[in-house]
């Protein structure tokens, strides 16, 4: 048996030791990845791991080898400090790179669009979050995120634990969970999607009704794609234009500036901290915000803890690749948690599905399918300029499907076929299983 520990904790050797000892006691071999010490590039969001090198990320760093180890494992443990209810950057930077494990094609699962399985077999997954005195919202959000990852990473068994590192009960809880994971017993039920969750995540804090309107906004674009090519930037530019017309000066800041420490990151941080309103315009990466957005928020939170800033409000403007906007709910809750953790007002959220239909084109060029979204951004700009949080009508309009889900699932393969053809990849190779082939070769060599 194989247990893989994806360690995003950096400074919790006792917890790692508990996991390793519990696995070894059951006869498992342990592979430990200390992610804080491993250089990993951010996911570029270009889908080439589905259409150019199907089933493998083309970026040459440690992620492909770690992904192979995950595929070969019996149990994978995701270990992370809980940051704004979600994963720390150290773990999220790897999680974003795991989409080669899934197939690009879609199907309906429990009334919602999901990715199909690429492999016949997937490991059990245990998600362990470390937090000091977590409240009910933190517990709920971490469990929701772990459940979403369990579905999208195709695991047959999962459980999530939220622990206080110094808790004397941490060791027996970990031992019990490792035993259950390796024997596929007593797993958590995969979460069902509650359609009301998105509306609750989008709802602004009540205090926004009495807030003075912001005079300036910084819009953080979370996509790592080249400038001018992402749906996140298309939405951001449309909203920025509406805000400017409403009297709110707006600047675009790119999360890719935070890929490493230095002047670019410092300047981007200053732009974010220097505005009265922060708008995060980002795609959904594996059920949550992209890792670079998480890193930007972590650094901004540290800055706000020590320096005076005019920043008062936070807004989310998210899009996902699934046709249902509901998939954005956990990421919006993370943004709300960031706002509250830093004494800021959550001014509401806007969430859109099927973002790849826009694919970086100016929003007005897609007005045939995006009429409701154009209207939503105008309403949201008027709401914010009027000193209010984003209205329910704006959030509802933004979440209207660009295409019916059944039609989206029907036509989506055409996009993958078109991209694959550009790369010279045959249609049937889109479902390649390179990790299974590599694992089989190892077994044959060992034999």
């Amino acid at each position: 048996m194989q247990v893989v520990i994806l360690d995003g904790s950096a400074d919790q050797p006792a917890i790692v030791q508990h996991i390793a000892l519990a696995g070894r006691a059951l006869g498992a071999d342990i592979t430990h990845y200390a992610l804080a010490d491993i250089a990993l590039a951010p996911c570029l969001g270009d889908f080439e791991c589905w259409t150019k090198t199907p089933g493998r990320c083309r970026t040459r760093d440690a992620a492909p080898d770690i992904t192979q180890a995950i595929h070969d494992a019996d149990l994978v443990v995701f270990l992370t400090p809980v940051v704004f209810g979600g994963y720390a950057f150290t773990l999220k930077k790897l999680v974003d790179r795991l989409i080669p494990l899934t197939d690009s094609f879609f199907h309906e699962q429990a009334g919602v669009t999901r990715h199909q399985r690429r492999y016949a077999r997937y490991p059990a997954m245990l998600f362990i979050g470390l937090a000091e005195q977590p409240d009910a919202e933190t517990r709920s959000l971490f469990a929701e995120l772990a459940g979403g990852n369990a579905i999208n990473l195709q695991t047959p068994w999962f459980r999530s634990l939220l622990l206080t590192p110094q808790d004397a009960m941490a060791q027996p809880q970990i031992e019990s969970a490792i035993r259950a994971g390796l024997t596929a017993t007593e797993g958590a039920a995969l979460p069902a999607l509650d359609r009301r969750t998105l509306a609750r995540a989008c709802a602004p804090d009540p205090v926004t009704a009495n807030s003075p309107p912001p005079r300036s906004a910084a819009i953080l674009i979370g996509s790592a794609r080249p400038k001018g090519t992402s749906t996140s930037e298309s939405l951001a530019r449309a909203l920025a234009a509406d805000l400017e017309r409403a009297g709110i000066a707006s600047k675009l800041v790119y999360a890719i500036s935070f890929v490493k420490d230095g002047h670019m990151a410092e300047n981007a941080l200053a732009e974010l901290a220097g505005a009265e309103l922060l708008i995060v315009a980002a795609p959904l990466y594996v059920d949550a915000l992209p890792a670079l957005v998480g890193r930007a928020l972590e650094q901004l939170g540290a800055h706000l803890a020590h320096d005076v800033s005019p920043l008062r409000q936070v807004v989310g403007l998210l899009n996902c690749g699934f046709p249902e906007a509901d998939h954005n709910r956990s990421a919006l809750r993370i943004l709300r948690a960031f706002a509250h953790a830093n004494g800021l007002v959550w001014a509401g959220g806007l969430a859109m599905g099927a973002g790849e239909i826009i694919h970086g084109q100016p929003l007005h060029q897609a007005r045939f399918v995006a009429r409701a979204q154009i209207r939503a951004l105008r309403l949201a700009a008027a709401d914010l300029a009027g000193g209010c949080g984003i209205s329910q009508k704006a959030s509802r309009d933004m979440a209207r499907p660009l295409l019916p889900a059944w039609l989206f699932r029907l036509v989506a393969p055409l996009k993958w076929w078109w991209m694959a053809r550009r790369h010279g990849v045959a249609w049937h190779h889109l479902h390649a299983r390179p990790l299974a082939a590599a694992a089989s070769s190892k077994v044959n060599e060992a034999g």
Side-chain angles (χ1 to χ4, degrees):
M1 292 187 293
Q2 299 284 337
V3 174
V4 169
I5 305 172
L6 305 177
D7 180 10
S9 67
D11 60 353
Q12 294 296 334
I15 298 292
V16 174
Q17 186 177 34
H18 292 335
I19 297 168
L21 289 174
R24 291 192 182 106
L26 295 169
D29 294 324
I30 309 298
T31 303
H32 173 227
Y33 293 100
L35 298 176
D37 300 328
I38 299 174
L40 295 172
C43 176
L44 299 178
D46 55 16
F47 301 131
E48 291 192 357
C49 61
W50 287 340
T51 61
K52 187 174 184 179
T53 55
R56 284 197 181 277
C57 180
R58 65 182 176 84
T59 302
R60 296 183 179 180
D61 57 13
D65 289 340
I66 298 175
T67 305
Q68 181 74 59
I70 291 170
H71 170 273
D72 299 347
D74 296 284
L75 173 66
V76 179
V77 181
F78 297 77
L79 178 63
T80 179
V82 177
V83 180
F84 312 131
Y87 306 159
F89 167 73
T90 46
L91 176 62
K92 191 59 167 65
K93 66 182 180 179
L94 175 67
V95 171
D96 288 354
R97 300 280 300 280
L98 298 184
I99 64 169
L101 287 168
T102 69
D103 196 281
S104 59
F105 285 47
F106 299 103
H107 69 153
E108 182 182 348
Q109 181 179 334
V112 183
T113 304
R114 301 286 188 183
H115 284 288
Q116 295 180 16
R117 296 164 67 92
R118 181 175 292 275
Y119 296 98
R121 173 198 169 278
Y122 287 86
M125 295 183 180
L126 172 61
F127 301 85
I128 301 178
L130 306 175
E132 299 288 348
Q133 300 180 330
D135 59 15
E137 169 65 9
T138 299
R139 291 183 179 278
S140 168
L141 175 50
F142 186 81
E144 178 181 274
L145 179 56
N149 282 181
I151 293 172
N152 286 316
L153 295 176
Q154 311 288 352
T155 181
W157 181 99
F158 96 100
R159 188 186 290 184
S160 66
L161 297 177
L162 196 54
L163 305 174
T164 300
Q166 291 75 32
D167 188 346
M169 294 302 295
Q171 182 173 354
Q173 289 185 69
I174 290 172
E175 291 174 351
S176 175
I178 296 293
R179 186 180 307 109
L182 287 173
T183 57
T185 58
E186 301 177 3
L190 292 174
L193 180 62
D194 184 347
R195 298 285 186 176
R196 298 169 295 180
T197 308
L198 179 63
R200 290 195 290 263
C202 288
D205 293 341
V207 294
T208 54
N210 302 313
S211 300
R215 294 168 297 180
S216 60
I219 306 179
L220 177 63
I221 297 174
S223 175
R225 291 181 180 177
K227 292 181 181 180
T229 65
S230 72
T231 297
S232 298
E233 185 170 349
S234 297
L235 297 175
R237 288 190 179 279
L239 180 56
D242 290 334
L243 290 172
E244 291 280 355
R245 284 190 287 268
I248 301 176
S250 302
K251 291 184 178 180
L252 303 186
V253 181
Y254 294 84
I256 197 68
S257 301
F258 292 90
V259 71
K260 61 181 179 180
D261 294 333
H263 292 303
M264 283 184 64
E266 292 170 2
N267 292 338
L269 182 62
E271 294 280 12
L272 299 180
E276 295 182 359
L277 169 65
L278 169 64
I279 300 171
V280 177
L284 195 70
Y285 278 15
V286 196
D287 302 291
L289 299 168
L292 285 178
V293 174
R295 184 173 192 177
L297 295 179
E298 289 180 27
Q299 292 188 14
L300 180 57
H303 175 89
L304 295 174
H306 299 99
D307 295 276
V308 176
S309 167
L311 187 60
R312 295 185 286 108
Q313 297 180 331
V314 179
V315 162
L317 174 59
L318 306 184
N319 74 94
C320 68
F322 297 111
E324 304 93 354
D326 305 82
H327 293 272
N328 294 291
R329 66 197 184 283
S330 298
L332 286 167
R333 292 177 69 185
I334 289 170
L335 284 174
R336 183 174 64 192
F338 163 79
H340 293 168
N342 290 284
L344 306 173
V345 172
W346 172 243
L350 298 165
M352 186 184 81
E356 274 303 292
I357 292 177
I358 306 300
H359 195 66
Q361 63 183 312
L363 200 58
H364 70 271
Q365 292 183 11
R367 57 185 175 274
F368 178 75
V369 294
R371 292 188 300 273
Q373 286 68 33
I374 292 170
R375 182 169 62 247
L377 295 175
R378 289 173 180 167
L379 287 171
D383 291 335
L384 295 168
C388 304
I390 292 175
S391 62
Q392 287 185 1
K393 178 168 176 49
S395 294
R396 283 197 302 266
D397 280 349
M398 196 69 192
R400 289 185 185 277
L402 297 181
L403 285 179
W406 67 267
L407 181 57
F408 175 90
R409 292 190 292 268
L410 183 66
V411 302
L414 297 177
K415 174 184 175 63
W416 308 130
W417 172 79
W418 177 76
M419 292 181 68
R421 186 178 181 185
R422 287 172 51 210
H423 297 313
V425 175
W427 172 271
H428 63 278
H429 287 158
L430 292 176
H431 304 293
R433 297 177 171 180
L435 303 183
S440 179
S441 295
K442 289 181 183 177
V443 171
N444 292 337
E445 290 173 4

